[in-house]
Amino acid sequence: MRTIVVTDPPRADLAQVDALGEHGVATVHEAMGRTGCLGPSLRPVHLGSRIAGTAVTVLSWPGDNLMIHVAVEQCRPGDVLVVATTSPSTDGMFGELFATALQHRGVRGLVIDAGVRDVADLHRIGFPVWSAAVSAQGTVKATPGAVNVPIAVGGQTIRPGDAIVADDDGVMRVARQDVPRAVTAARARAEKEEATRAAFREGQLGLDRYGLRDRLPGMGIEYVPYEEYEET
């Protein structure tokens, strides 16, 4: 691993990232062909947050938060800090002091494929965090890593400047160059969902709305009156 800090990488347009964030993870994920999700292991420390921002990436050694300290300087308003480790770790690598420093720089939240701590304080100061673990286990500051290089989280490659969308459903990334297309697709998806919502409110069934009813016989699904079912 090359131990470097890449400064001022290009970022996705923040206005477009904000537009993407209006739709939430599930809608954007569906709109992008069910791609980009970082998986179910990353969960919000507290429910109720929804953010979108541009990725500043960190590659750290397990149990060592040196490179998070290095990365803070590279953050600017609208960013989301995304941290991976060179091998699995659940240690509490991030807490309220880090969050305070990042809030001062306008960072919108943290996504970390490792552990965090100071959960009550993170909630108190309103700093959104998605993590793989919560642990009071402390860390050291001893081993060099890298900042603003491609990292892997949940089977996805995240590059600096990519869009990160996170809410109660999880976290996803949209490649920087795909953000304009994602905004258009998410808006179309949201409009389609609103039309379906209105139809459901009027009593239409999903079986008919989605054209599923005519497919059921071909799947071998039968409708059997209860009296006949009892006789079998």
Side-chain angles (χ1 to χ4, degrees):
M1 177 180 63
R2 189 178 177 191
T3 54
I4 60 172
V5 177
V6 179
T7 61
D8 297 319
R11 288 163 165 85
D13 179 78
L14 195 54
Q16 291 185 325
V17 173
D18 288 341
L20 203 58
E22 294 175 3
H23 300 291
V25 171
T27 297
V28 177
H29 180 247
E30 292 285 350
M32 294 302 288
R34 297 188 298 279
T35 62
C37 181
L38 303 191
S41 65
L42 294 176
R43 300 303 305 149
V45 169
H46 293 98
L47 296 178
S49 295
R50 174 185 283 186
I51 65 169
T54 47
V56 170
T57 61
V58 182
L59 184 59
S60 292
W61 286 79
D64 192 315
N65 66 6
L66 171 65
M67 297 312 294
I68 300 179
H69 284 280
V70 175
V72 171
E73 185 180 26
Q74 302 304 314
C75 293
R76 67 189 194 194
D79 284 338
V80 174
L81 193 64
V82 186
V83 181
T85 53
T86 58
S87 60
S89 176
T90 59
D91 294 340
M93 298 176 62
F94 183 99
E96 179 261 338
L97 294 179
F98 267 138
T100 300
L102 291 176
Q103 278 186 325
H104 176 75
R105 304 185 77 85
V107 174
R108 294 178 172 178
L110 169 79
V111 175
I112 181 168
D113 194 15
V116 297
R117 59 184 186 176
D118 301 338
V119 168
D121 290 323
L122 293 172
H123 182 59
R124 175 179 55 81
I125 68 174
F127 188 78
V129 170
W130 287 257
S131 72
V134 173
S135 175
Q137 176 66 44
T139 57
V140 299
K141 303 167 181 59
T143 316
V147 174
N148 280 333
V149 299
I151 61 174
V153 178
Q156 299 293 321
T157 298
I158 302 170
R159 293 176 172 82
D162 284 351
I164 300 295
V165 184
D167 60 20
D168 289 352
D169 291 333
V171 184
M172 72 166 296
R173 52 77 69 173
V174 176
R176 177 172 60 88
Q177 64 272 20
D178 290 338
V179 169
R181 177 170 65 90
V183 171
T184 300
R187 285 173 176 162
R189 176 80 187 185
E191 291 172 0
K192 180 180 178 181
E193 289 177 348
E194 181 54 37
T196 299
R197 188 176 297 109
F200 285 173
R201 285 172 178 157
E202 293 175 357
Q204 187 175 9
L205 296 174
L207 282 174
D208 301 312
R209 180 78 182 175
Y210 300 134
L212 300 175
R213 189 180 300 279
D214 293 339
R215 294 168 54 189
L216 299 183
M219 297 177 183
I221 297 175
E222 301 178 70
Y223 285 78
V224 179
Y226 178 76
E227 293 80 4
E228 295 182 17
Y229 174 72
E230 281 292 284
E231 292 174 0
T232 61

